[in-house]
Every structure is written in structure tokens, then in C-alpha cells.
Amino acid sequence: MSLELQEEFVQVRRVDLSALISEFRELKEKIEANTLDYQLDQLCGTSRMVSSPVVCKILGWSRSTFNRRLVDEFNPIPMTKDGRDWVMSREVFTKYYNETYNPQN
């Protein structure tokens, strides 16, 4: 679709412009809600550590898949045992996620 305007100024009704702005805001919120940082903020709060339930939620893994990934020969998930659970820092998780699921080749 191609749109070419010849006029320098275009009049738009305020109600139409407001509706368009509202749609853009909704789209922006949906895009932001899909970012990794936003998801981590929502699931971890102010904690600097990412726990195994958060990893499973973000990556869509079951607990058994998570356990298999811990001992994966080629790309194990870099987590550390912390008491009864597994954890890693946000920075390490972000790096792992970007290298494994969002490579920038």
C-alpha cells in the first residue's frame, strides 16, 4: 500500500486523531509487554536474581525441560544452586536468552 500526500497541511478531526493516538498507545504497551526486561521486571520485581520458575515461565518450559537443560551437553543453562532452588543473575539470563533464542548474527 502506498500513500502519497500532495498537500503540505492536512486537516484531521480531533476525535479521529485522538482515536489514532489511543491505538498507538495500546500497540506500544503490547510491544513493551513482550520485551524481556519488562517480563523480568514483572516476574522478579527488584530482585537481581532470576529463579527457575521465572526461567520456565519466560521460556515456556516445563520443570522437566528445565532439568534437562541444566545437564545439556551443548548449551546448558548457566544456573547456580541456591538452597532448594536454582538461580542466576539477570545479566547472565539476558545474555543466555539473547545468545540462545535471539541470536544477532
Side-chain angles (χ1 to χ4, degrees), residues 5-11:
L5 296 175
Q6 299 296 326
E7 291 80 21
E8 189 172 333
F9 296 99
V10 178
Q11 286 186 334

Side-chain angles (χ1 to χ4, degrees):
M1 180 174 124
S2 177
L3 178 64
E4 188 175 322
L5 296 175
Q6 299 296 326
E7 291 80 21
E8 189 172 333
F9 296 99
V10 178
Q11 286 186 334
V12 179
R13 293 184 326 169
R14 181 182 304 240
V15 67
D16 294 334
L17 184 60
S18 294
L20 184 62
I21 290 169
S22 177
E23 287 184 39
F24 276 120
R25 281 189 184 130
E26 289 175 20
L27 182 59
K28 180 183 175 204
E29 289 170 3
K30 287 179 183 178
I31 291 169
E32 287 174 349
N34 279 331
T35 64
L36 182 60
D37 288 333
Y38 180 84
Q39 290 178 16
L40 287 171
D41 288 344
Q42 295 300 308
L43 296 170
C44 298
T46 59
S47 174
R48 301 299 305 151
M49 302 304 283
V50 179
S51 64
S52 57
V54 172
V55 170
C56 290
K57 175 94 173 160
I58 290 175
L59 298 178
W61 292 349
S62 65
R63 189 61 190 206
S64 60
T65 298
F66 173 80
N67 291 332
R68 282 193 307 275
R69 294 297 175 110
L70 281 173
V71 295
D72 188 336
E73 290 181 29
F74 301 107
N75 192 17
I77 189 160
M79 298 198 77
T80 305
K81 190 76 164 164
D82 180 34
R84 294 174 46 134
D85 201 4
W86 293 91
V87 296
M88 73 172 98
S89 70
R90 282 184 176 211
E91 293 79 20
V92 171
F93 177 71
T94 300
K95 182 179 179 196
Y96 172 82
Y97 179 87
N98 287 331
E99 289 175 354
T100 307
Y101 297 97
N102 194 21
Q104 302 295 319
N105 294 344

